Amino acid sequence: MKAVVVIILSLLTAAQGLGQNNALEKQAPKKYIKDAQGNKHQVVDFEESNIEGRIKLPSGFYIHSRRRAKTKRLIQLRSNFRDQVELTAPRGLITSPH
Amino acid sequence: MHFLVALLSFLSLQAFALTPNEVWTRIAKSQRVNDLPEEIYKALSFSGPSNQDEASYLTALAILHSNDKILRYVAYPYLAKASSKWPGIVETKESKVAWAKVNRAFGRKTLLDDLSLTLIASLYERSQLDGPDFQFYFGHYYFDSGKFAKALEILPKVPTNSHQYRRAQFFSALAALQERRQIDAEEFLQSVVSLNRTREEARARVSASAVQRLRELAVLNLARLYYEQKRFDESVTSYRTLTQDSYFFYESLNEQAWAFFMLGYPNRDLGALYSATSPFFSHQYNPEAYYLTALIETALCQGSEAEIDLRRFVRHYRGEGDVLREFMKNAPQGKDALVQFAQLLDPGQTAKLGPRTLETLRSNDYLVEGAKALNLLKEQKKRLKTNRFPSGQVYITEAHDDMTRLLTLNLGNYVKKQLDTMARTSQSTISEARLLYADILTEKREKISGQETDFEDKVLMGDEKAFTDSKVPSARAWTEDKSEFWLDELGYHVTTYKSECGADQ
């Protein structure tokens, strides 16, 4: 019986912790903006979030603090070929260029 | 004495001066420029006519010159001058006659014809002109000016029995793409592709190759549209219909590689890039091909192969890209600078640009046609000097010079756009390559325990010296000792790489 009570208490504590994490996430409000091309981008505002941390030099950052630099996430993949479409049917050629 | 002669000739001119209506009728009825009597040019030079009369004369001269195979391109400058003298001319009967005759005389034979007709249509914005050809050129004018919604109101109205129908559908598609009406764009492009050479096209002498070229361009743009919509399988299918004998085979190879990458077929992807980087296309400036090859190899955890390809990318493009970006940074601005850009098309010109950059520019279909048109105008200028009417010479030479300058500016504008795009791609590809290189080195570092000090941050962040030239042999490279290459092999390569991800764990 004691063991059952301990398990229930542990689960309740874990659930509370999870709730707190969610609350922390909510502190960084997300909003959506559109750029000049009309593409939708998600913007997360961290201004009001309480983020603690220490500054480290790039070498230390990469060699000691982090197992792997996640550069793959930064690599841009082609999302369209609009620049090429423009060149196959050029505009502004007939009307006098300004 | 001299004064007396001058007075007599002035009085004789006055006495025999033709009425404006007579001048208009006689010019419009003339068949050839050389049939035009000297007195007509005298009437034109005479300072008496009102702006309205002069606009009529100039319109008549435009009609007359449109019949002349050599001088027909001066029709536009004449008409432009007419509407600047008196804007009301565009709403008169004379203008309607001018459009009908000029359109019939020009047809769609060359780029210069097309350019002239679109320019003339743009002059008649305020007129009540109608008809399929006018709608096409007017819509084309709106497309060219970036007024896509207006273009979409006019171009789809070009009827199916017009020889311009296919082109109207094509430009409608491009305008729809700009207006983010992708469903409409797809329908327009499909109609360009599905239509065989029509009776009207044959009657208007639109060549079979011109029809085929436009159909293939529509296929290429459909593939691009599917790619943007993330319909990668349909995109690949469209790209693969453009085979070796297609006008757009090279573009198809490069772009289908991205679609294969997104679909998750790395070996077909690398096969397409293998063809795109073959010696057949060694004159093309395309840094993305080598970079994408390295990206796929990294995705397959083939770090050392990726590193080799990054070095090949650097060897091929780093220097040329730097030169191009520097050239664009220091390029003069303004309208006059466009003349200098157009001069890059001249093979005799030596520019401070890399060989691939210049070759890509000079082999561009549009620019090849444009350069031909410009040379034609230059050739014609020599013949103009033999014109036997000294007073008419001034008009014709001026109109011819106007047309030449306009074409030069337009071509220069396109050259600039092309170089801008190339410089931008070069810049972004180099940045992406540096990130990729950092990733490869990071993975390498993780595999080598206890040697972390070899990879300082400056190397990790893509130190310039790390990108030095290196001729490391690669099993997939078109090696220099291979003496024969087969064109029919292109487009069918499939590599047999296996993912090495997790192999050492």
Side-chain angles (χ1 to χ4, degrees):
Chain A
M1 185 63 188
K2 270 184 186 175
V4 173
V5 171
V6 168
I7 288 167
I8 289 170
L9 278 174
S10 317
L11 284 172
L12 279 172
T13 318
Q16 204 180 1
L18 203 64
Q20 279 170 355
N21 283 343
N22 286 341
L24 270 175
E25 276 179 19
K26 278 175 194 166
Q27 282 176 10
K30 291 173 186 174
K31 59 181 176 179
Y32 294 90
I33 56 159
K34 278 188 177 181
D35 64 13
Q37 279 83 41
N39 298 322
K40 217 172 177 185
H41 296 283
Q42 187 183 10
V43 177
V44 183
D45 187 2
F46 287 106
E47 259 185 32
E48 292 172 13
S49 304
N50 187 17
I51 299 168
E52 288 182 9
R54 283 185 296 164
I55 298 167
K56 290 185 175 179
L57 288 171
S59 55
F61 175 74
Y62 281 107
I63 294 169
H64 306 297
S65 308
R66 202 168 162 189
R67 274 190 56 76
R68 190 171 169 192
K70 301 283 184 191
T71 46
K72 272 181 197 165
R73 287 183 185 180
L74 300 172
I75 290 165
Q76 293 285 316
L77 300 176
R78 246 201 195 272
S79 57
N80 60 62
F81 289 98
R82 284 187 191 193
D83 51 349
Q84 300 306 315
V85 175
E86 277 270 314
L87 288 173
T88 47
R91 285 189 297 109
L93 292 170
I94 292 155
T95 44
S96 184
H98 301 292
Chain B
M1 183 64 187
H2 285 299
F3 172 74
L4 201 64
V5 171
L7 184 68
L8 276 173
S9 42
F10 175 75
L11 286 174
S12 67
L13 254 181
Q14 287 283 53
F16 297 106
L18 297 163
T19 64
N21 198 37
E22 279 172 331
V23 176
W24 154 261
T25 313
R26 288 184 69 171
I27 301 174
K29 280 189 177 171
S30 299
Q31 290 300 311
R32 297 187 312 140
V33 183
N34 285 356
D35 292 342
L36 203 64
E38 182 70 12
E39 59 185 325
I40 297 292
Y41 282 110
K42 278 182 183 163
L44 292 169
S45 316
F46 181 55
S47 59
S50 65
N51 281 347
Q52 192 169 334
D53 290 337
E54 201 174 341
S56 284
Y57 298 162
L58 290 164
T59 307
L61 275 173
I63 296 172
L64 175 63
H65 286 95
S66 70
N67 292 324
D68 192 300
K69 204 177 171 186
I70 295 170
L71 296 170
R72 65 175 185 236
Y73 310 113
V74 306
Y76 165 70
Y78 272 131
L79 291 172
K81 203 182 277 181
S83 62
S84 71
K85 286 277 172 192
W86 181 52
I89 188 76
V90 298
E91 291 164 278
T92 61
K93 184 188 74 186
E94 283 97 320
S95 287
K96 283 185 186 165
V97 174
W99 171 261
K101 292 209 171 185
V102 165
N103 182 36
R104 199 175 313 130
F106 279 48
R108 202 280 163 180
K109 298 181 188 88
T110 65
L111 174 76
L112 212 49
D113 290 333
D114 221 22
L115 177 72
S116 303
L117 285 175
T118 310
L119 285 165
I120 292 168
S122 74
L123 290 174
Y124 293 146
E125 198 168 3
R126 282 174 46 223
S127 75
Q128 299 298 312
L129 280 166
D130 202 4
D133 282 356
F134 183 71
Q135 277 173 342
F136 171 74
Y137 285 108
F138 201 39
H140 191 198
Y141 159 70
Y142 278 131
F143 174 83
D144 189 74
S145 339
K147 295 171 185 167
F148 304 115
K150 272 267 193 194
L152 270 173
E153 280 172 25
I154 296 166
L155 286 169
K157 285 183 190 162
V158 174
T160 48
N161 62 0
S162 161
H163 75 277
Q164 298 286 15
Y165 175 71
R166 188 187 305 273
R167 296 180 75 212
Q169 291 284 298
F170 182 74
F171 282 105
S172 299
L174 298 187
L177 277 177
Q178 295 281 354
E179 288 288 294
R180 302 201 169 266
R181 286 166 53 179
Q182 295 191 332
I183 295 170
D184 291 338
E186 188 181 343
E187 271 178 30
F188 288 131
L189 289 171
Q190 291 283 15
S191 81
V192 176
V193 178
S194 61
L195 205 64
N196 288 323
R197 189 175 178 224
T198 63
R199 209 169 40 197
E200 287 74 19
E201 284 171 334
R203 206 177 291 150
R205 294 185 185 170
V206 180
S207 68
S209 61
V211 169
Q212 185 58 17
R213 195 181 179 284
L214 196 57
R215 288 175 84 182
E216 289 180 1
L217 195 53
V219 171
L220 184 68
N221 284 325
L222 260 180
R224 289 167 173 166
L225 174 63
Y226 293 145
Y227 183 93
E228 190 171 338
Q229 293 176 326
K230 302 194 190 317
R231 293 155 69 183
F232 299 119
D233 46 354
E234 287 165 275
S235 176
V236 162
T237 308
S238 294
Y239 279 127
R240 299 288 282 184
T241 60
L242 300 171
T243 48
Q244 291 148 5
D245 50 353
S246 160
Y247 292 96
F248 304 102
F249 181 51
Y250 181 68
E251 286 83 350
S252 161
L253 281 176
N254 280 300
E255 294 175 20
Q256 69 182 256
W258 277 108
F260 272 132
F261 181 73
M262 296 300 194
L263 265 180
Y265 289 93
N267 282 316
R268 289 192 175 275
D269 193 344
L270 289 170
L273 290 167
Y274 182 52
S275 294
T277 52
S278 74
F280 292 104
F281 305 114
S282 59
H283 58 290
Q284 291 288 335
Y285 182 88
N286 183 20
E288 265 190 356
Y290 286 107
Y291 160 70
L292 183 54
T293 305
L295 182 63
I296 299 157
E297 286 158 347
T298 313
L300 291 172
C301 299
Q302 299 269 8
S304 49
E305 275 296 323
E307 204 175 333
I308 291 169
D309 275 307
L310 272 184
R311 289 181 193 284
R312 288 171 69 207
F313 159 72
V314 170
R315 188 169 78 233
H316 279 81
Y317 291 107
R318 187 61 194 265
E320 193 151 347
D322 287 348
V323 168
L324 172 61
R325 287 195 301 280
E326 195 61 24
F327 181 85
M328 293 310 285
K329 206 168 78 184
N330 299 324
Q333 300 293 316
K335 218 170 183 176
D336 288 333
L338 298 178
V339 177
Q340 292 175 35
F341 278 108
Q343 282 168 353
L344 293 174
L345 295 175
D346 185 353
Q349 282 273 329
T350 48
K352 287 175 183 171
L353 281 171
R356 280 194 189 83
T357 315
L358 280 176
E359 195 50 43
T360 304
L361 210 57
R362 288 171 186 166
S363 61
N364 176 289
D365 266 8
Y366 188 88
L367 291 175
V368 167
E369 209 183 337
K372 257 190 220 166
L374 208 54
N375 282 335
L376 185 75
L377 284 174
K378 279 179 194 163
E379 282 298 311
Q380 285 167 356
K381 180 144 194 186
K382 289 176 197 162
R383 294 197 210 173
L384 291 182
K385 286 177 183 163
T386 61
N387 189 300
R388 59 193 167 96
F389 298 110
S391 47
Q393 185 79 49
V394 181
Y395 275 88
I396 294 168
T397 308
E398 198 182 302
H400 189 274
D401 287 348
D402 282 355
M403 198 64 197
T404 307
R405 179 164 168 78
L406 191 65
L407 182 62
T408 307
L409 290 178
N410 280 305
L411 288 178
N413 195 30
Y414 182 52
V415 169
K416 185 172 178 286
K417 274 187 187 178
Q418 175 104 348
L419 289 177
D420 271 337
T421 307
M422 284 158 83
R424 224 176 23 248
T425 311
S426 152
Q427 178 66 58
S428 62
T429 315
I430 284 281
S431 309
E432 297 296 323
R434 293 179 75 187
L435 279 173
L436 195 60
Y437 188 59
D439 205 66
I440 293 165
L441 288 182
T442 313
E443 258 178 53
K444 210 184 211 182
R445 191 205 68 208
E446 285 178 353
K447 286 180 184 172
I448 308 166
S449 58
Q451 293 181 31
E452 287 86 348
T453 46
D454 289 345
F455 301 98
E456 292 171 2
D457 65 296
K458 64 173 185 176
V459 177
L460 205 59
M461 297 305 285
D463 180 46
E464 307 299 314
K465 283 177 188 168
F467 280 132
T468 48
D469 192 352
S470 147
K471 288 191 177 181
V472 188
S474 166
R476 288 185 310 92
W478 292 87
T479 52
E480 283 159 17
D481 59 339
K482 187 176 176 185
S483 53
E484 287 179 314
F485 300 102
W486 301 98
L487 185 64
D488 59 2
E489 289 175 358
L490 297 186
Y492 297 102
H493 298 289
V494 181
T495 60
T496 52
Y497 270 57
K498 284 182 182 164
S499 173
E500 293 291 322
C501 301
D504 54 337
Q505 284 173 11

